[in-house]
Amino acid sequence: MSQEQPRRPQEDKQQDKPQPIKYGDVFSVSGDLAKKPIAPQDANMMQTAETMVFGQTQKGGPAAVMQSAATRNERSGLVRHDQATDVGGNEGVTVTETDVPGSRIVTETVGGQVIGQYVQPTPVAQVAAGGFMEQNAITIGEALEASAQTAGDKPIDQSDAAAIQAAEVRATGSNVISPGGLAAMAQSAAAYNAGTLREQDKIKLTDVLSGATAKLPADKAVTRQDAEGIASAELRNNLEMGRRPGGVAASVTAAARLNENIKM
């Protein structure tokens, strides 16, 4: 009586292939998000959001976890450096604050699902005459500084320069470009980079946007209208016709969203 040799199922072959780290592997999430690989641009967007709220990314926080997972996925060749998941890119990555007496509740989400939530003690806030806590509102300058941290190694091109100029105009309320200001520096950098071949010789976003708040002659809290104007300027001058995750427009848009949450 002959005995059939056991055949290896196709599923076993699939299991031999390296698998990306997915959201469900490191966070308590469900549905489509749990099955999605953590992508580099998702991590960049969360870094931007955390930086806007805390001034830096949190050690051991969701952004750090996402960055570590995304780096591993990219090194394994399982995701591209410019890749974002459809859930993170379309439904958003957010860090929101809810203030209660003596503390604030910070909630971090991807695609509407909570991936981190914790409570921080805070002093009693000073409320402005307008009725909301103005000191918590993120300014245009602070949003630009955030993009310097999340996308600082990117060489400045014309779309970046256009977005930075639109941001300066929105912050100051004047169409006059200040000599030596952020917009002028960005335009000069874009022109220089266009004629420079080696990437390491090009002027990066961090070179211009670090300390952006101090470089602006005036500043203001970011609104949705500001974000839309800056995103439009970036898009009009982008040959790829797409907003860059973690770029100038993305950082300002995230700041506007956070400011709206503060007012609610």
Side-chain angles (χ1 to χ4, degrees):
M1 181 175 176
S2 62
Q3 185 175 2
E4 286 188 15
Q5 294 294 323
R7 290 181 298 177
R8 190 175 187 181
Q10 187 68 24
E11 300 86 76
D12 291 345
K13 294 181 181 179
Q14 292 295 329
Q15 289 175 359
D16 288 342
K17 296 181 180 179
Q19 297 295 311
I21 300 173
K22 304 179 182 66
Y23 279 97
D25 296 329
V26 292
F27 299 116
S28 180
V29 294
S30 60
D32 287 342
L33 180 62
K35 304 172 187 176
K36 299 289 184 181
I38 298 178
Q41 294 306 323
D42 292 3
N44 286 343
M45 287 188 282
M46 183 57 80
Q47 283 184 323
T48 296
E50 280 196 5
T51 299
M52 288 175 179
V53 173
F54 305 113
Q56 61 184 4
T57 56
Q58 298 297 286
K59 185 176 181 180
V65 172
M66 289 172 65
Q67 187 62 58
S68 177
T71 298
R72 182 173 174 181
N73 287 344
E74 183 179 353
R75 286 177 179 171
S76 300
L78 302 171
V79 296
R80 302 185 313 276
H81 179 70
D82 62 349
Q83 184 173 332
T85 65
D86 52 359
V87 175
N90 296 337
E91 298 183 41
V93 169
T94 64
V95 178
T96 59
E97 300 172 281
T98 303
D99 287 290
V100 296
S103 64
R104 97 180 144 168
I105 302 169
V106 178
T107 304
E108 305 191 36
T109 69
V110 175
Q113 296 196 49
V114 176
I115 62 171
Q117 188 173 60
Y118 36 92
V119 178
Q120 293 185 327
T122 59
V124 177
Q126 297 295 321
V127 179
F132 67 93
M133 295 176 224
E134 287 189 343
Q135 76 275 20
N136 286 338
I138 301 163
T139 67
I140 290 175
E142 289 169 341
L144 294 177
E145 290 175 354
S147 65
Q149 294 192 38
T150 58
D153 291 335
K154 179 192 177 299
I156 294 177
D157 60 21
Q158 190 55 46
S159 66
D160 299 315
I164 293 168
Q165 179 175 329
E168 183 176 288
V169 168
R170 292 272 177 172
T172 62
S174 171
N175 289 319
V176 177
I177 303 304
S178 304
L182 280 179
M185 292 169 62
Q187 289 290 350
S188 296
Y192 174 85
N193 288 347
T196 302
L197 296 178
R198 299 198 311 169
E199 288 292 305
Q200 60 266 40
D201 294 333
K202 293 183 178 181
I203 301 171
K204 311 297 195 298
L205 277 175
T206 190
D207 297 325
V208 173
L209 294 182
S210 293
T213 300
K215 296 175 183 176
L216 287 170
D219 204 358
K220 66 183 287 288
V222 184
T223 65
R224 178 179 296 186
Q225 291 73 26
D226 296 327
E228 289 173 351
I230 292 166
S232 177
E234 182 177 280
L235 190 62
R236 285 196 306 270
N237 291 272
N238 184 0
L239 296 178
E240 298 175 357
M241 293 302 291
R243 186 183 304 179
R244 294 188 186 88
V248 173
S251 293
V252 176
T253 298
R257 187 181 302 117
L258 291 170
N259 284 349
E260 287 183 346
N261 289 330
I262 290 171
K263 295 180 182 181
M264 290 176 64

